[in-house]
Amino acid sequence: MQDAAITCMAQGSHSEIVLAMANTEVGKKIGKIPQDSIQTSIQSDFYGLLKELKLEKYQTLTATELRLDLRENIRVKSEKLAFLDLERSYFFHRLRVLKIPFVNFLDKVQDNKTWAEDWVLQWTPEAEIEIVEAILKGDTIEFATAFELNQRIENSSSISMIAEVVKDAFYCGLPKSLEQAFQALQSCMADDIPINEIARTSTTLSIMLRYGDIRKLDRDVLVPILEQLFLRACLILPTEAFCDANAAIELAEAMIALHNVVENHDFLDRERWYALLTEVAKRDNLNTKISGLAMAILLETGKISNDELGLEVERRLSKAIPADLGASWFEGLSMKNHYTLIARLGLWEKLQDYISALDEDEFKRALVFLRRAFADFSSNEKHDIAENMAEIWGLNKIAVSDAMNKDLKEEEAEIISSLDDFDFDDI
């Protein structure tokens, strides 16, 4: 019958009727365990919550997207209905923590809609199995979630892992678990904390402070912890910036994350942060990529003038500076706000003069870092850079852009790739 249907109804193409055949042969209906036959307390609690939160209709094989509005609904009469979506959010986050595959959180940018959450609901037989197995953690969904969070606290090996537990307890609406996580977080504050851990923890706490006010839980205890982490970062950043190229990769990510935290909270000392970045940007004994990134952040925030930038570019991209150090500094400078750099024609003039003055071996050194720097530029940004270079060289903008953005030939690509394993000690 399958072959006949494909031949007679789909002109021999199985793809034409594959969905109809699936619906006919398998269908979308799924069996349910009768309520009276449920033996475990956690299953009874789960189905009771489904009914209470009006979610029974989503218990199907078809994935359904649901947006929650966590704000109070003032158009209903009862308080229970007024905060229905907030209670749903607590329930969904608890299922997420327990890894029960009935809900999937869509963690996406929502245009500053701090009141909104997007979820996808889809029922599977595996979800029923996971619920049954969760009885080992507690008699109800709430107790099982609290047990899981407590286990994560005990097994956490870093402050950022504990911060994630704080966030999950906060989103699950579990005050006691939240208090336990806070205590564990404060205990870790007495230990030495690497700056990348400080950045990850600060980012987690920052998200809670920015978007968690609608969850009716006390967030004030987060403020002093975030202030302490910020002060620690300020104290150790110059020391951390005295590092090699591999360590600079993680440190750069941490600096960008910390800067985003500082920009989002007025209670943090921004002037101290800018002063610290200025120190890092101008010191010669630190990793040049980190110094370049510090300069880029200051440029983005308007804390440095064009004249100061010009002087720093001349100093960093001079013949007296080793080629790899100068190019590494430019790589750091290119990590933030590309269009701000592209708009400064003088910067590209100095870069062009710097590259032209390099000999062959120095150019090979510089090319390794410059290649990484320009890898993050979009095609449109590269086109704008090509126009800048065409103006400097007095050539046709379109022709220069085509030449600079065309695909490399096979032999050219091999030469460029070989630079990744370039042995600088042979120079």
Side-chain angles (χ1 to χ4, degrees):
M1 291 182 67
Q2 287 179 343
D3 292 342
I6 293 171
T7 302
C8 299
M9 301 173 64
Q11 293 78 46
S13 175
H14 179 256
S15 61
E16 294 289 335
I17 58 171
V18 62
L19 294 178
M21 291 178 69
N23 288 334
T24 302
E25 296 169 1
V26 180
K28 297 180 179 178
K29 292 183 179 181
I30 184 170
K32 295 182 181 179
I33 299 176
Q35 197 75 15
D36 296 338
S37 67
I38 293 177
Q39 299 297 318
T40 63
S41 58
I42 197 168
Q43 284 175 285
S44 299
D45 181 60
F46 174 81
Y47 285 106
L49 289 170
L50 279 187
K51 184 176 181 180
E52 180 183 337
L53 299 175
K54 304 183 186 302
L55 296 170
E56 291 176 303
K57 65 180 180 180
Y58 297 103
Q59 199 179 3
T60 67
L61 288 177
T62 304
T64 306
E65 187 167 336
L66 175 64
R67 166 162 286 196
L68 302 181
D69 186 342
L70 307 186
R71 298 172 295 185
E72 180 181 1
N73 185 355
I74 60 176
R75 295 188 298 272
V76 296
K77 295 181 179 180
S78 68
E79 182 178 356
K80 184 177 180 180
L81 291 176
F83 294 101
L84 178 63
D85 276 2
L86 179 60
E87 293 298 327
R88 285 175 168 178
S89 175
Y90 290 151
F91 177 56
F92 290 165
H93 279 290
R94 292 170 187 178
L95 296 180
R96 176 182 59 80
V97 169
L98 293 173
K99 296 181 175 61
I100 294 175
F102 174 48
V103 296
N104 182 31
F105 181 49
L106 300 180
D107 191 7
K108 59 185 180 182
V109 178
Q110 301 185 46
D111 300 325
N112 294 323
K113 294 179 181 177
T114 59
W115 48 265
E117 282 186 353
D118 290 311
W119 295 82
V120 173
L121 281 64
Q122 184 178 19
W123 184 253
T124 62
E126 289 78 9
E128 188 82 56
I129 296 172
E130 293 292 339
I131 294 170
V132 173
E133 292 180 348
I135 190 66
L136 299 174
K137 300 177 181 179
D139 293 334
T140 65
I141 296 295
E142 180 179 345
F143 289 162
T145 305
F147 179 84
E148 174 67 20
L149 292 174
N150 185 60
Q151 290 294 105
R152 284 172 55 188
I153 292 173
E154 294 180 359
N155 297 327
S156 294
S157 58
S158 66
I159 190 172
S160 62
M161 293 175 67
I162 296 178
E164 286 296 322
V165 179
V166 172
K167 183 177 71 172
D168 282 341
F170 189 74
Y171 287 157
C172 289
L174 299 174
K176 291 184 179 180
S177 296
L178 187 61
E179 184 179 352
Q180 292 176 343
F182 277 143
Q183 292 174 354
L185 191 64
Q186 290 172 332
S187 298
C188 289
M189 295 294 292
D191 303 328
D192 292 333
I193 309 173
I195 194 166
N196 58 331
E197 283 291 307
I198 292 176
R200 281 194 286 266
T201 305
S202 298
T203 299
T204 300
L205 300 183
S206 174
I207 292 172
M208 294 172 60
L209 282 169
R210 291 167 59 197
Y211 302 123
D213 58 332
I214 206 167
R215 293 186 172 273
K216 313 300 181 185
L217 292 175
D218 181 20
R219 298 171 301 139
D220 293 340
V221 290
L222 293 175
V223 173
I225 295 177
L226 190 56
E227 288 177 329
Q228 292 179 48
L229 290 171
F230 168 73
L231 291 176
R232 283 202 177 194
C234 290
L235 291 173
I236 68 175
L237 179 57
T239 304
E240 294 284 335
F242 189 77
C243 61
D244 59 16
N246 291 329
I249 296 174
E250 286 192 3
L251 180 56
E253 294 177 354
M255 282 179 60
I256 293 173
L258 287 168
H259 177 67
N260 291 334
V261 171
V262 172
E263 289 295 297
N264 284 318
H265 300 288
D266 293 334
F267 60 82
L268 298 178
D269 190 350
R270 291 177 181 170
E271 293 306 316
R272 177 171 185 166
W273 176 248
Y274 296 143
L276 178 65
L277 291 178
T278 302
E279 176 190 349
V280 172
K282 295 186 176 181
R283 281 179 58 175
D284 294 331
N285 62 335
L286 304 180
N287 184 281
T288 51
K289 179 178 179 178
I290 300 302
S291 295
L293 174 58
M295 180 65 67
I297 295 174
L298 291 170
L299 187 63
E300 182 182 56
T301 54
K303 297 298 180 181
I304 194 166
S305 66
N306 286 334
D307 291 340
E308 290 176 301
L309 175 64
L311 291 174
E312 194 67 14
V313 170
E314 288 182 355
R315 188 170 72 87
R316 296 285 185 174
L317 302 182
S318 66
K319 186 65 177 176
I321 301 297
D324 54 326
L325 297 182
S328 175
W329 180 84
F330 184 81
E331 180 187 359
L333 184 68
S334 302
M335 293 183 68
K336 295 283 289 181
N337 205 345
H338 292 169
Y339 282 108
T340 299
L341 299 178
I342 293 171
R344 287 168 166 78
L345 185 62
L347 171 66
W348 302 99
E349 290 177 339
K350 291 181 173 63
L351 182 63
Q352 191 272 151
D353 293 340
Y354 169 72
I355 294 176
S356 298
L358 300 176
D359 60 31
E360 184 176 352
D361 289 336
E362 290 173 333
F363 178 73
K364 288 180 179 179
R365 279 180 174 270
L367 188 58
V368 175
F369 298 93
L370 292 175
R371 182 190 178 201
R372 288 202 302 258
F374 287 106
D376 292 332
F377 282 75
S378 67
S379 57
N380 289 335
E381 290 169 342
K382 291 177 181 178
H383 175 75
D384 293 337
I385 293 172
E387 289 189 348
N388 281 344
M389 302 313 298
E391 185 171 344
I392 294 171
W393 294 330
L395 301 175
N396 181 273
K397 294 182 179 181
I398 297 178
V400 172
S401 179
D402 290 342
M404 292 180 66
N405 290 295
K406 70 178 181 179
D407 294 333
L408 295 176
K409 297 178 181 178
E410 184 176 349
E411 59 270 20
E412 293 173 333
E414 290 178 358
I415 294 174
I416 293 295
S417 297
S418 67
L419 291 175
D420 291 334
D421 301 320
F422 192 68
D423 189 357
F424 292 135
D425 294 332
D426 290 343
I427 297 180

